[in-house]
Amino acid sequence: MKSGADSRRWFAAAGAAVLGLDLVTKQIAERVLLQIPPVQVLGSWLQFRLVYNQGAAFGLHLGAWSRWIFIVIAIVAVVMLFRLSRSSAPADRIRHLACGLVAGGAAGNLVDRLRSTHGVVDFIDIGVGTARWPTFNIADMGVTIGAIVLAISLWAEDARARAEAAP
């Protein structure tokens, strides 16, 4: 990478990619799936089914104020991830990428909460028979993958610091 600014573009690129793909796929899902039954892609294992989630992950709901609580949490998360990316070493592309994935996903679900009281648009349904994973979307995938990569990045940094500090 040429400079720290070039390296930090990974944050913006990942965040914009997740946000853009999330918004487009949700728009398609609402337009198409609202009028039809679930679409089986790989049998019952993978289906597209429109669901509005007013809660958080796995349908966590905090009562009448859920929407506003999750809006505030999403805004705080995006700001914190931006700051974490800015404070990370310029050459740590993995950290910038991970922060961008999580921030983009949080922003995607934030847009849903701001634009409608219906909740977050979820449409990817996986499982076998009645054993189903909670329905999710591209933003959720960005958050999950980014969080895993970020955890690995932080763990590796901690392991390096301990190795350097050892006699």
Side-chain angles (χ1 to χ4, degrees):
M1 279 281 138
K2 295 176 188 171
S3 72
D6 287 342
S7 177
R8 290 184 178 111
R9 288 186 182 139
W10 285 87
F11 174 87
V18 170
L19 177 59
L21 188 58
D22 182 62
L23 294 176
V24 167
T25 56
K26 286 175 178 175
Q27 187 176 40
I28 292 168
E30 283 189 300
R31 188 177 306 137
V32 173
L33 298 174
L34 188 62
Q35 303 169 20
I36 61 174
V39 175
Q40 291 192 354
V41 179
L42 294 173
S44 69
W45 185 80
L46 171 62
Q47 303 177 66
F48 292 145
R49 165 192 318 266
L50 183 63
V51 175
Y52 291 99
N53 179 2
Q54 293 184 338
F58 310 114
L60 174 67
H61 199 273
L62 301 176
W65 290 94
S66 279
R67 177 179 182 219
W68 299 106
I69 291 169
F70 293 129
I71 285 172
V72 170
I73 289 171
I75 291 169
V76 169
V78 170
V79 169
M80 288 176 59
L81 288 158
F82 175 75
R83 293 179 80 184
L84 176 60
S85 179
R86 283 196 51 180
S87 69
S88 296
D92 194 348
R93 286 184 250 159
I94 298 296
R95 175 91 41 94
H96 298 292
L97 175 69
C99 288
L101 290 172
V102 178
N109 286 338
L110 173 62
V111 168
D112 283 357
R113 292 183 198 289
L114 291 172
R115 73 177 179 89
S116 171
T117 58
H118 291 304
V120 172
V121 175
D122 289 330
F123 62 93
I124 303 170
D125 177 18
I126 60 173
V128 177
T130 58
R132 316 291 314 163
W133 188 258
T135 308
F136 58 97
N137 57 43
I138 301 297
D140 298 334
M141 291 169 53
V143 168
T144 301
I145 293 166
I148 291 168
V149 172
L150 183 58
I152 292 168
S153 171
L154 293 169
W155 173 81
E157 179 182 308
D158 187 52
R160 279 191 304 272
R162 280 183 286 162
E164 290 172 2

